[in-house]
Amino acid sequence: MAALSSIKDNCRKVMCIGRNYADHVTELNNARPKQPFFFLKPSSSLHLPDEGPVLRPSGVTTHFEVELGIVIGKRCQNLDTDDESEALQYIDSYVLAIDMTARNVQDEAKKKGLPWSIAKGFDTFCPVAGPIAKSKITDPHDVEIYLKVNGKTKQEDSTGLMLFRIPRQLSDISKVMTLEKGDIVLTGTPKGVGPVVTGDVMEAGLRIGGEEVEEARLRVE
Amino acid sequence: MAALSSIKDNCRKVMCIGRNYADHVTELNNARPKQPFFFLKPSSSLHLPDEGPVLRPSGVTTHFEVELGIVIGKRCQNLDTDDESEALQYIDSYVLAIDMTARNVQDEAKKKGLPWSIAKGFDTFCPVAGPIAKSKITDPHDVEIYLKVNGKTKQEDSTGLMLFRIPRQLSDISKVMTLEKGDIVLTGTPKGVGPVVTGDVMEAGLRIGGEEVEEARLRVE
Ligand SMILES: [Mg+2]
Ligand SMILES: [Mg+2]
Ligand SMILES: [Mg+2]
């Protein structure tokens, strides 16, 4: 398991699953997808805990989306499986991530049929904490992820609520594009997303059986 | 100037400019953008001349878009310039590229307000030739790029027709996301895009003052 800074340096793409928790789909008035869909964030958006605040570009409504992230451990191409233990072999370790989103830019893009890359891709728009050893998360579909803003809980749900589980995600992505060692997959966000403004402090984390996992603690302004 | 294979290996993101030639905007019935917009292709889609045919995934209408590509030579962040000589300092070399596009997937995404990452991101969807030395292209806004299918010319226009020139492209991108050494920027495609099916042979290239540039020749099935 590499240090977080080398995970950042070696990541070439960040693939994010959209609309993967039913209540989050509803809160943004989106249609529930019939199959997983995904989009890219640039690796240049990865942001380490010691790198300062997340940017709030002017004119941009900046939303948080806490997500369980997977660091890919080996090349994954055309994976065809529903078998969890087989799919999990492609996982090196986990990170906790915030998929920061320029929501008004994304809304405009959706209206005009334009790509999401700008809305999702600003520098600092992917804060990460970790890594969390694979051995520590025996079941990635049974952890709780949460995010607080200024001490107030905004998101807090089990990854068991994912509409499409990790094997399906890896399978669908890898049939379009090869996942390479070091790539990161963000597995979607539960309900409760919302805006942060300059000065707000986000604290995110992960619990297993009610116990906080220390290395997943993420605190960013 | 690195070899093409190491350009592929070291590229983390491919940024593509959309709708950057007026007649191409018209042919796809799109709106002419008021400012450059851009989207990501994954570096895993880069495809070398000796790596075999471009994939035609089943159910996908595969379109070619020939483009002049820039290999970034040094970190570019918040670049604020209209000055061509200043902007060109960030260029290491050039490649000729085909921005392969799953057009029906993209049309569907545009209709539904979904991201373009799948439509643009399949493995093999970014064939490249080169590199072309920076010294050889004294004015990147005055070269001719072309693409033939089975010997018949489909695209053939001057990069002088770009709606937004390279300094503006680098400036706008770098205000959203840092361009790193080794990243590739595709500068948009002229009119004439269209489908290819299995067995079709694409030949693309670049001419300066009517003279073919040998290292830019790209032949792919
Ligand atoms: Mg998300
Ligand atoms: Mg890649
Ligand atoms: Mg294009």
Side-chain angles (χ1 to χ4, degrees):
Chain A
M1 191 172 65
L4 194 61
S5 61
S6 81
I7 288 175
K8 175 182 170 174
D9 291 345
N10 291 315
C11 174
R12 298 183 77 187
K13 60 175 167 293
V14 181
M15 286 302 310
C16 310
I17 308 295
R19 303 181 194 163
N20 202 26
Y21 288 77
D23 290 342
H24 169 61
V25 176
T26 312
E27 75 183 346
L28 292 185
N29 296 312
N30 283 319
R32 188 161 164 164
K34 292 199 181 63
Q35 65 215 35
F37 77 86
F38 39 92
F39 56 87
L40 290 160
K41 281 174 99 86
S43 55
S44 46
S45 66
L46 289 167
H47 188 65
L48 299 178
D50 61 0
E51 292 184 305
V54 166
L55 297 176
R56 273 77 166 187
S58 73
V60 163
T61 307
T62 310
H63 268 214
F64 53 80
E65 302 186 351
V66 70
E67 315 207 3
L68 177 65
I70 294 166
V71 182
I72 297 296
K74 62 176 181 184
R75 200 164 190 274
C76 179
Q77 189 173 30
N78 282 319
L79 177 67
D80 203 353
T81 188
D82 287 323
D83 182 69
E84 302 235 330
S85 66
E86 192 191 336
L88 299 187
Q89 289 172 17
Y90 293 90
I91 299 178
D92 173 77
S93 52
Y94 297 91
V95 289
L96 191 77
I98 310 178
D99 171 20
M100 298 300 301
T101 304
R103 192 71 72 201
N104 58 333
V105 178
Q106 187 196 31
D107 287 343
E108 190 75 8
K110 283 157 69 176
K111 217 181 300 170
K112 294 188 174 163
L114 290 173
W116 295 15
S117 301
I118 296 174
K120 292 288 189 176
F122 284 90
D123 285 351
T124 77
F125 264 33
C126 195
V128 283
I132 308 149
K134 188 177 173 177
S135 57
K136 195 164 260 182
I137 300 187
T138 49
D139 183 358
H141 303 104
D142 186 23
V143 301
E144 188 178 50
I145 53 177
Y146 69 85
L147 185 142
K148 302 176 188 190
V149 177
N150 303 329
K152 207 173 151 183
T153 299
K154 299 288 187 179
Q155 299 189 273
E156 185 174 51
D157 263 318
S158 168
T159 54
L161 295 173
M162 286 182 194
L163 296 173
F164 301 103
R165 290 162 74 93
I166 293 166
R168 176 72 189 276
Q169 296 176 29
L170 297 185
S171 173
D172 277 35
I173 294 169
S174 73
K175 285 172 186 168
V176 172
M177 57 185 92
T178 300
L179 286 165
E180 300 170 298
K181 183 174 158 62
D183 286 348
I184 292 174
V185 176
L186 303 189
T187 58
T189 196
K191 66 179 181 298
V193 304
V196 277
V197 297
T198 304
D200 283 345
V201 175
M202 294 178 275
E203 289 169 286
L206 185 152
R207 299 184 195 107
I208 300 175
E211 297 263 337
E212 193 79 34
V213 173
E214 281 309 316
E215 52 272 48
R217 275 188 199 269
L218 175 55
R219 188 185 184 282
V220 65
E221 207 183 280
Chain B
M1 191 172 64
L4 193 61
S5 62
S6 81
I7 288 174
K8 175 182 169 174
D9 290 345
N10 292 314
C11 174
R12 298 182 77 184
K13 61 176 168 288
V14 180
M15 286 301 311
C16 310
I17 309 294
R19 303 181 193 164
N20 202 26
Y21 287 78
D23 289 343
H24 169 61
V25 175
T26 312
E27 74 183 347
L28 292 186
N29 297 312
N30 282 320
R32 188 160 163 165
K34 292 200 181 62
Q35 64 215 35
F37 77 86
F38 39 92
F39 56 87
L40 291 159
K41 280 174 100 85
S43 55
S44 47
S45 66
L46 288 167
H47 189 65
L48 300 178
D50 61 0
E51 293 184 304
V54 165
L55 296 178
R56 273 78 164 185
S58 74
V60 163
T61 308
T62 310
H63 269 214
F64 53 80
E65 302 187 351
V66 70
E67 315 207 3
L68 177 65
I70 294 166
V71 182
I72 297 295
K74 62 176 181 183
R75 201 164 188 275
C76 179
Q77 188 172 30
N78 283 319
L79 177 68
D80 203 352
T81 189
D82 287 324
D83 182 69
E84 302 235 331
S85 65
E86 192 190 337
L88 299 188
Q89 288 171 19
Y90 292 89
I91 299 178
D92 173 77
S93 52
Y94 297 92
V95 288
L96 190 78
I98 310 179
D99 171 19
M100 298 300 300
T101 304
R103 191 71 73 201
N104 58 334
V105 178
Q106 187 196 31
D107 287 344
E108 190 74 8
K110 284 157 70 174
K111 217 180 301 171
K112 294 188 175 164
L114 290 173
W116 294 14
S117 301
I118 297 174
K120 291 288 189 175
F122 283 89
D123 285 351
T124 77
F125 264 32
C126 195
V128 283
I132 308 149
K134 188 176 173 177
S135 57
K136 194 163 261 183
I137 300 188
T138 50
D139 182 358
H141 303 104
D142 186 24
V143 301
E144 188 177 50
I145 53 178
Y146 69 84
L147 185 141
K148 303 177 189 190
V149 177
N150 303 329
K152 208 174 151 184
T153 300
K154 300 287 186 177
Q155 299 189 272
E156 185 175 51
D157 263 318
S158 168
T159 54
L161 294 173
M162 286 182 194
L163 295 173
F164 300 103
R165 289 161 75 93
I166 292 166
R168 176 72 189 276
Q169 296 176 29
L170 297 185
S171 174
D172 277 34
I173 294 170
S174 73
K175 286 172 185 168
V176 173
M177 56 185 93
T178 301
L179 286 165
E180 301 171 297
K181 182 173 158 63
D183 286 348
I184 292 174
V185 175
L186 303 189
T187 59
T189 196
K191 67 178 182 297
V193 303
V196 276
V197 297
T198 304
D200 283 346
V201 175
M202 295 178 275
E203 289 168 285
L206 185 153
R207 300 183 194 107
I208 300 174
E211 297 262 339
E212 193 80 33
V213 173
E214 281 308 318
E215 53 273 49
R217 277 188 198 267
L218 175 55
R219 188 185 184 283
V220 64
E221 209 183 277

